[in-house]
């Protein structure tokens, strides 16, 4: 199968570190290069983090505001360079879903909100609707970095506590799932996974209550391996590599890195 030849050889991707071992952080990394001027400029444009009222609610509102800014300012494309620094993504003004999630993580860290990622190996068939004529070129396995944010003061089991908030819950209201507007995510058409977060559940565990109209909010059937939690996306990709091998990235990036997602 052609898609198998595009993937790194010799990589064994098994379940990884326990959740309790990933403490996350706010420090800069190679990918989350917080101190570079494009990142600082983006944070200035988004605005300062709120300091009023309940800190947990303020933090979630700030992250939502950052998500909206990224949706508007960073054009979605099919880039395959997972370890591209956030500063480079912002200079280009375009990025994949994963790259734009990295921008959101970087903004959070500048604000002092710790981040970490959960690593997932997702079946390549999840992306078939976007490449109906090129299915043989879609990798069989895709390594996905799914961000989480450490938010103080969110209610948990009836009490205020600090907890890790997955990006898929960022737009969920208290006591409800995020998937309540306009059906689930189909991975087809102009909407990308990053944009979909603001209107529907994206559930990799099959745990969110999906209404009949939500349809595809439960994406757990596509998860092949849960790689565990990592302090940063750098750690995830250092350990498990990127989805495509270096040669495939070299050939694909000049084309896919400019192609608008959904078209």
């Amino acid at each position: 199968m052609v898609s198998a030849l595009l993937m790194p050889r010799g990589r064994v991707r098994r379940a990884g570190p326990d959740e309790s071992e990933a403490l996350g952080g706010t420090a800069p990394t190679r990918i989350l290069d917080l101190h570079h001027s494009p990142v600082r400029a983006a944070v200035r444009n988004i605005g300062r983090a709120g300091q009023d009222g309940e800190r947990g609610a303020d933090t979630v509102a700030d992250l939502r505001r950052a998500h909206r800014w990224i949706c508007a300012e960073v054009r979605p494309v099919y880039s395959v360079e997972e370890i591209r620094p956030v500063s480079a993504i912002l200079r280009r003004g375009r990025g994949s879903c994963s790259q734009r999630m990295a921008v959101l993580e970087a903004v959070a860290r500048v604000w002092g909100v710790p981040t970490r990622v959960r690593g997932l190996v997702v079946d390549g068939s999840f992306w078939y609707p976007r490449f109906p004529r090129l299915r043989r070129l879609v990798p069989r396995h895709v390594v996905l970095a799914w961000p989480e944010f450490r938010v103080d003061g969110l209610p948990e089991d009836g009490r205020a506590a600090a907890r890790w908030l997955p990006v898929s819950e960022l737009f969920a209201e208290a006591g409800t799932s995020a998937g309540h507007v306009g059906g689930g995510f189909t991975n087809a058409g102009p909407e990308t996974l990053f944009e979909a977060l603001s209107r529907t559940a994206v559930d990799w565990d099959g745990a969110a209550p999906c209404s009949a109209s939500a349809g595809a909010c439960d994406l757990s059937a596509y998860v092949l391996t849960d790689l565990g939690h990592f302090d940063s996306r750098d750690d995830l990709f250092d350990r498990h590599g990127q989805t495509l091998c270096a040669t495939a990235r070299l050939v694909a990036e000049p084309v896919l890195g400019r192609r608008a997602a959904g078209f």
Side-chain angles (χ1 to χ4, degrees):
M1 190 171 184
V2 174
S3 61
L5 300 177
L6 304 179
M7 299 164 59
R9 302 180 69 85
R11 289 279 182 178
V12 179
R13 291 166 175 157
R14 299 192 180 97
D18 183 81
E19 181 175 357
S20 62
E21 297 179 24
L23 302 179
T26 59
T29 69
R30 185 177 67 254
I31 299 174
L32 308 178
D33 54 346
L34 314 182
H35 300 315
H36 283 241
S37 57
V39 182
R40 293 294 180 173
V43 173
R44 286 195 299 272
N45 287 329
I46 295 167
R48 296 179 59 186
Q51 299 291 335
D52 302 324
E54 299 180 7
R55 183 57 188 150
D58 286 347
T59 301
V60 171
D62 291 336
L63 293 171
R64 290 175 177 177
R65 176 160 46 91
H67 178 273
R68 288 191 292 270
W69 184 90
I70 296 165
C71 283
E73 300 296 330
V74 184
R75 182 168 58 91
V77 294
Y78 292 119
S79 177
V80 295
E81 281 292 350
E82 298 283 5
I83 62 172
R84 177 167 290 153
V86 166
S87 60
I89 297 165
L90 290 169
R91 282 194 198 95
R92 286 170 167 81
R94 61 183 186 269
S96 66
C97 284
S98 179
Q99 290 171 344
R100 289 189 292 163
M101 287 183 191
V103 176
L104 184 59
E105 292 172 59
V107 172
R109 289 195 174 207
V110 172
W111 282 339
V113 178
T115 75
R116 68 181 186 184
V117 299
R118 179 185 179 191
L120 299 171
V121 178
V122 179
D123 194 311
S125 63
F126 179 60
W127 281 270
Y128 281 177
R130 294 202 176 273
F131 302 96
R133 295 187 177 88
L134 299 173
R135 288 187 178 186
R136 285 177 56 82
L137 296 179
V138 175
R140 287 192 296 178
H141 304 158
V142 175
V143 179
L144 181 65
W146 199 245
E148 297 183 354
F149 306 90
R150 181 80 172 176
V151 180
D152 295 324
L154 287 180
E156 185 175 30
D157 298 328
R159 60 185 177 84
R163 70 182 180 94
W164 286 103
L165 184 74
V167 69
S168 47
E169 296 181 20
L170 187 58
F171 287 86
E173 299 298 333
T176 69
S177 88
H180 61 278
V181 180
F185 179 65
T186 61
N187 210 8
E191 182 182 60
T192 72
L193 188 59
F194 187 78
E195 277 84 15
L197 293 171
S198 65
R199 69 157 190 87
T200 190
V202 178
D203 176 20
W204 299 110
D205 297 297
C210 300
S211 66
S213 62
C217 78
D218 179 1
L219 303 177
S220 59
Y222 292 102
V223 176
L224 302 176
T225 308
D226 187 338
L227 298 173
H229 289 76
F230 298 81
D231 289 333
S232 71
R233 63 180 48 234
D234 300 61
D235 293 342
L236 167 64
F237 292 122
D238 284 347
R239 179 163 178 173
H240 292 287
Q242 299 184 62
T243 295
L244 298 180
C245 67
T247 301
R249 296 197 307 272
L250 182 65
V251 173
E253 181 62 23
V255 177
L256 295 180
R258 294 180 178 275
R259 181 182 175 185
F263 298 96

